[in-house]
Structures are given as structure tokens and as C-alpha cells.
């Protein structure tokens, strides 16, 4: 079988001080999983060896020196592209540091450049620490906007979060709660709806069923608790319907996830970070995935963080990383 029959997915070790290296080591022992793609792992040799040691595994890899070698190689064990971004001891385990942020940004930058050059089809990265990245000079509140800037994307972008067959998108994300209403416009709601439909199609949903959450208690109760549903959200839903997107809503946020859990919807457009994240993490914290929407290449990661409290202890569950990788494979194959 030629490599062209599978997507080429770049994996990264994530923050050197967190659980990323051990998670990737566990992931790469799952041959049934990694067989879905042509895998290239990008990172420091010592960090990869440390991750394997923590996880108690040994994963055979084949070394490549450049991304442009990948597609010409036959199928086999995962490829390893060695880079030097950090030395042992420079980023103490379970602590934020500029050195850790430097390492993460260098590796991600390389992968994004490879994606722009058409050398890889998707990226799946182990958990990052936004504070370390900020200390290193990242001028954005999150990695999504770092990706968009690096890839020169100026159109609407948003994070998707998934748990099994349930996907969510966000109209606003990493902003103060008091500023959420500033982001609540018809244009952003419609853009979020369209992105979610496109992502669901790419992930294999032929006819996605999507709903929009309300902002206020009881969806505003006819204007008694706020007019955003009447003035902004419902008109956005109607406009999306008119454009051919059969989205429903707005529905009270405290009940819409019950309907989704029962299988009535595949996707929910949420209006701010915690509105969707609390629900999904309660439904299955260890299996949630974040997908960065609106970019020219699929980029996924487990939805949990760097877990500094258990880093280096071989306690971290690999299930969310497995799901993130599989979604990257499905979307990268399109």
C-alpha cells in the first residue's frame, strides 16, 4: 500500500513539562490506531525517549531529516523528525517556563510550515500551556489565533470541541465573561454555524443535525431575562436556514445538552467557552477533543490540559489523544 492512500499526520510532544510526551508514547503503541495514517512525530530526541520511559514502552521509529521525505517512503513504523528545541533541565517538569513555550512554538511553527507546503495533511498536538507560550512571546490568547496568524488566515475561526459523536462550536472563546455579548452578532453566529456544518461533513456526518444554544436563562423567556435571543440569535438562525443550513434554536443552554446526549443533535453552537465546555467535560472529560476550525488544515488536540499535577507519573489517560488523532486522520483524508 502506498503512502498516498492514507493521510500524513504530524504529531507533536506538546509542552515538555506536561503529560504530552508520555501520552504520545502510549498513543504510538496502539497499532490499530496509528495504522490509520502515515505518522511523523516531530520533537526532541531526549524528550521522546523520556516520554517512552515514563510510559514504560519502547516504540520503534524510522528517522527522517525533512518533511519532504515523508510521502516517498513506504508504509511502516512511525517516522521521527528530530529537532533541537530545548535541553534537559531547561523546562522543569510541572512548571510554566519560557523555555517550554519556546520549544512548543518552534515545533508547531515547523509543522504549520510543512502544512502550508502541502507536505502533511493534518496536525495532532499533545497538550500545551498557554502561559508558557505567552512567556515565550505568543501575542495571542490561544493557539488557534497563533495558527491562524501563522497560516495567514483572516476569515472567521473558532474552536470545536467533541465528545464521541457530539460536536460543539463557539461564538466567543477565550474572552472575559463580561465581554461575551460584544462577540454575539448575527454574523459570528452564522459563521460559527457554517464552520460547524463544514467540519461535521469533513468528519463523516452526511446530514448534520445542529442546534444553537441561547444566552439567557430559559432562552430569555420572551424577553423577560434579556433580548439577545429575540434581537440577535433567532434572526441569525433564520438567516442560516434561508442560506440552506437547517440549524434549530435557540434552545435553553441548561437543556440542549440533554437533547444532544439522547442523540437528537450532532452539533451545538455555543455562545461562550464554559457554556459548552462544562457540559462536555462532565459527559466525558477523558475523551474530549479540541479541533481548530476555519484553518486550511485539520489541527486537533485532546481537550484536557498539560496536567502538571500528574506529569511524569504515567497516570494520564491516552483516550482523548487517541480520539484527537483519529479525528485528524478522518479530516486529513478529505
Amino acid at each position: 500500500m502506498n503512502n498516498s492512500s492514507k493521510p500524513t499526520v504530524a504529531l507533536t510532544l506538546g509542552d515538555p513539562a506536561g503529560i504530552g510526551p508520555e501520552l504520545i508514547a502510549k498513543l504510538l503503541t496502539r497499532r490499530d490506531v496509528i495504522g490509520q495514517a502515515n505518522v511523523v512525530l516531530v520533537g526532541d530526541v531526549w524528550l521522546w525517549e523520556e516520554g517512552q520511559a515514563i510510559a514504560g514502552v519502547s516504540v520503534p521509529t524510522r528517522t527522517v531529516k525533512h518533511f519532504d521525505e515523508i510521502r516517498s517512503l513506504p508504509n511502516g513504523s512511525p517516522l521521527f523528525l528530530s529537532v533541537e528545541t530545548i535541553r534537559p533541565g531547561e523546562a522543569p517538569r510541572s512548571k510554566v517556563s519560557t523555555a517550554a513555550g519556546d520549544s512548543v512554538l518552534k515545533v508547531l511553527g515547523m509543522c504549520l510550515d510543512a502544512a502550508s507546503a502541502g507536505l502533511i495533511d493534518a496536525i495532532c498536538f499533545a497538550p500545551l500551556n498557554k502561559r508558557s507560550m505567552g512567556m515565550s512571546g505568543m501575542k495571542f490568547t490561544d493557539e488557534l489565533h497563533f495558527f491562524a496568524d501563522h497560516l495567514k488566515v483572516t476569515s472567521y475561526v473558532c474552536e470545536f470541541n467533541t465528545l464521541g459523536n457530539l460536536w460543539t462550536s463557539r461564538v466567543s472563546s477565550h474572552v472575559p465573561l463580561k465581554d461575551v455579548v460584544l462577540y454575539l452578532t448575527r454574523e459570528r453566529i452564522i459563521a460559527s454555524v457554517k464552520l460547524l456544518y463544514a467540519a461535521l461533513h469533513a468528519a463523516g456526518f452526511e446530514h448534520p443535525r445542529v442546534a444553537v444554544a441561547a444566552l439567557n436563562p430559559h432562552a430569555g423567556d420572551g424577553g423577560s431575562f434579556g433580548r439577545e435571543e429575540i434581537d440577535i440569535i433567532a434572526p441569525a438562525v433564520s438567516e442560516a436556514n434561508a442560506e440552506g443550513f437547517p440549524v434549530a434554536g435557540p434552545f435553553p443552554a441548561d437543556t440542549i445538552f440533554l437533547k444532544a446526549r439522547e442523540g437528537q443533535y450532532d452539533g451545538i453552537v455555543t455562545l461562550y467557552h464554559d457554556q459548552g465546555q462544562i457540559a462536555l467535560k462532565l459527559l466525558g472529560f477523558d475523551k474530549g477533543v479540541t479541533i481548530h476550525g476555519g484553518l486550511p488544515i485539520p489541527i486537533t488536540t485532546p481537550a484536557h490540559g498539560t496536567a502538571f499535577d500528574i506529569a511524569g507519573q504515567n497516570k494520564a489517560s491516552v483516550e482523548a489523544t487517541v480520539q484527537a488523532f483519529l479525528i485528524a486522520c478522518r479530516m486529513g483524508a478529505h
Side-chain angles (χ1 to χ4, degrees):
M1 187 186 296
N2 189 280
N3 276 342
S4 61
S5 63
K6 297 180 180 181
T8 297
V9 178
L11 284 176
T12 82
L13 297 170
D15 190 292
I19 57 174
E22 59 194 271
L23 286 178
I24 298 301
K26 292 176 183 180
L27 171 69
L28 292 184
T29 65
R30 300 277 293 268
R31 295 198 171 275
D32 58 323
V33 174
I34 63 171
Q36 305 298 312
N38 184 34
V39 176
V40 55
L41 174 60
V42 185
D44 294 79
V45 171
W46 72 268
L47 190 59
W48 170 227
E49 292 176 347
E50 183 175 86
Q52 293 175 83
I54 293 168
V57 302
S58 179
V59 181
T61 58
R62 297 171 291 160
T63 301
V64 292
K65 293 184 177 180
H66 305 286
F67 279 103
D68 57 12
E69 299 174 40
I70 298 169
R71 295 196 193 272
S72 63
L73 293 174
N75 286 334
S77 55
L79 304 173
F80 180 67
L81 197 163
S82 168
V83 297
E84 294 183 4
T85 69
I86 191 169
R87 291 189 293 272
E90 285 187 332
R93 182 170 295 148
S94 303
K95 296 184 182 299
V96 298
S97 67
T98 301
D102 289 345
S103 172
V104 163
L105 291 174
K106 180 174 180 179
V107 171
L108 288 176
M110 290 176 60
C111 293
L112 293 169
D113 290 341
S116 295
L119 303 176
I120 58 175
D121 301 309
I123 299 168
C124 177
F125 62 89
L128 312 177
N129 184 283
K130 293 178 178 60
R131 189 172 164 203
S132 289
M133 295 166 73
M135 291 168 65
S136 178
M138 183 179 74
K139 59 179 187 252
F140 305 98
T141 57
D142 55 37
E143 59 270 23
L144 170 61
H145 292 88
F146 165 75
F147 297 152
D149 180 71
H150 197 101
L151 296 170
K152 297 180 172 54
V153 174
T154 56
S155 54
Y156 181 77
V157 295
C158 76
E159 284 188 357
F160 303 126
N161 285 98
T162 74
L163 183 69
N165 288 326
L166 175 59
W167 287 53
T168 66
S169 66
R170 306 178 198 160
V171 175
S172 67
S173 188
H174 296 110
V175 301
L177 192 57
K178 66 181 177 61
D179 293 340
V180 166
V181 292
L182 302 178
Y183 291 80
L184 195 62
T185 65
R186 294 189 197 186
E187 293 76 16
R188 290 181 67 88
I189 293 169
I190 293 167
S192 190
V193 165
K194 291 179 177 179
L195 271 186
L196 185 53
Y197 269 98
L200 286 166
H201 279 300
F205 292 81
E206 188 173 352
H207 300 292
R209 299 164 301 163
V210 176
V212 178
L215 176 69
N216 296 300
H218 308 292
D221 198 12
S224 300
F225 311 137
R227 292 191 54 86
E228 284 82 4
E229 287 75 17
I230 296 169
D231 296 338
I232 302 171
I233 307 171
V237 168
S238 296
E239 189 172 334
N241 291 164
E243 292 187 34
F245 297 89
V247 64
F251 297 115
D254 61 352
T255 57
I256 184 58
F257 280 91
L258 298 176
K259 297 177 186 292
R261 186 181 64 178
E262 293 164 0
Q264 294 184 37
Y265 295 106
D266 307 307
I268 299 174
V269 176
T270 64
L271 306 183
Y272 57 93
H273 184 279
D274 285 4
Q275 189 177 61
Q277 284 293 76
I278 291 172
L280 286 189
K281 289 185 178 182
L282 279 172
L283 288 169
F285 179 77
D286 290 336
K287 297 180 181 179
V289 176
T290 298
I291 301 104
H292 296 80
L295 305 176
I297 181 174
I299 303 180
T300 69
T301 190
H304 59 68
T306 47
F308 281 169
D309 58 323
I310 59 169
Q313 300 175 40
N314 195 24
K315 293 181 178 179
S317 170
V318 74
E319 288 310 310
T321 306
V322 168
Q323 296 305 316
F325 176 77
L326 290 174
I327 291 173
C329 293
R330 290 202 301 273
M331 298 183 75
H334 281 72

